[in-house]
Amino acid sequence: MSIDPHRDLYGTGLRIAVFEYLCSSGAYQDSGPSGPYAELINEGAAMLLALCDDLTGCQQTVRIALEPTLQAAWEHQAHRRSILKKLKTHGITNGPDPSIQRVAQQWTTIAQGCDCAIVIAPELDGLLAGIIQAMRKEGCHVIAPDDLFIQCASDKWETYRHWFRQIQSPESEQEPFLDCAVIETQLASHWLDAYKCHTTTDPESDGWVLKRRLTAGGTDMKRFGSSRCLADHLGNMQELDRWIVQPWIAGKPCSFAIAGRDVIGPFEQIFDAHSGNYIGGYGPLECNQEKLFAFAKKLAQAIPRSVSGEPSQGWVGIDFVMSSSGRWLPLEINARLTSSYLGYRRIYGPQLALTLLGQPLPSGSKTSMLNSPAFRFSVSEFHG
């Protein structure tokens, strides 16, 4: 790679490789709109194509890896076909359940000759952290926070521990305007032990939530109306230390992004009432921008990194709940591009893609966010 990984990427004509796990790993093939992975692939494709379209719109040269059956299907979809024409597409070798090392090797090979690479992958079972670390070991300049940051952010239990220390610190008590708190989180094994010892009571909420520590979004998330129901379920599970338990908190699910040095958002998250899958967002929401910036800084700085300072490259999405009392409760952090990008780009235009490279938003663009009327966006808008 010809670019110094410690400086920002400016200018036009950069050669950028973009990879999205569901579309670029060879593990998932097009099985039609009723296929088992159709919704996940559509969400991944929406992020991949939106980012690539914006990068080419800013005069960057973009190459991608694409599973052959997906590429064949997209050639028959007008919107996706029009974007593919702007990109250099490399077919990916198919293989059932490809290993992290195999995916990283293929992507590193495709990225040869590029100035940098961007990786969009789920945190599930360490995929995001493992792929980026393996590519970096091969000398690929991946645009993302450092490995330690990604590893911690990918683990909901580790994230909670660091956020708890940061938000509950004496310094936080001197910032009452933030009005934020962490959601009490326990390893499932610890929660079950406490239940058996009769030291667990039902929370003053609507039950409990069981989540994987290493996962993306609501994958495998389950909600239980009582402690007894949760305990019965946990009693039939193994490897409980891979799961966490939290009280269900009523409120408005929201997200914002740290893009380069800018804080963007927030937007409300919208989920399908039946499947529970993320389907889009609504916003921008009115909020105190000073509070948003302080909140974002506190949460990001709590996550350890190998090099001190703010992450100046890449996209970091943070999900949180606005409770009925107005308190902000952080849920999780994603050290990768998130679907909220699809909404934010409608306000900022193609230049939003350049924030991942460390470039600031154009002057006046923050005013555009504040003055933008609220709107709803959907992942389905990018289906073609």
Side-chain angles (χ1 to χ4, degrees), residues 8-12 14 60 259-262 312-313 351-352 354-362:
D8 293 332
L9 299 168
Y10 285 88
T12 60
L14 293 171
Q60 313 298 344
R261 297 181 177 89
D262 290 294
S312 61
Q313 294 182 348
Q351 292 81 8
L352 180 61
L354 301 181
T355 63
L356 276 76
L357 309 180
Q359 299 188 29
L361 286 168

Side-chain angles (χ1 to χ4, degrees), residues 23-73:
C23 301
S24 309
S25 67
Y28 301 86
Q29 299 185 25
D30 182 76
S31 53
S34 60
Y37 304 109
E39 290 187 4
L40 290 173
I41 290 174
N42 281 329
E43 184 176 350
M47 289 188 285
L48 173 67
L49 293 176
L51 178 61
C52 291
D53 195 27
D54 290 345
L55 288 170
T56 57
C58 294
Q59 288 75 55
Q60 313 298 344
T61 300
V62 180
R63 68 177 66 170
I64 65 171
L66 198 58
E67 199 282 326
T69 65
L70 292 177
Q71 182 174 359

Side-chain angles (χ1 to χ4, degrees), residues 165-212:
R165 285 197 290 266
Q166 181 82 341
I167 292 178
Q168 304 300 127
S169 68
E171 290 78 10
S172 293
E173 297 177 2
Q174 301 173 19
E175 302 172 318
F177 77 97
L178 272 179
D179 193 18
C180 63
V182 293
I183 299 174
E184 183 180 359
T185 302
Q186 301 178 65
L187 290 175
S189 57
H190 294 174
W191 184 95
L192 186 59
D193 288 343
Y195 177 82
K196 291 177 179 178
C197 294
H198 307 289
T199 58
T200 295
T201 57
D202 286 333
E204 296 179 3
S205 63
D206 296 319
W208 301 96
V209 179
L210 179 66
K211 304 176 182 177
R212 283 184 184 270

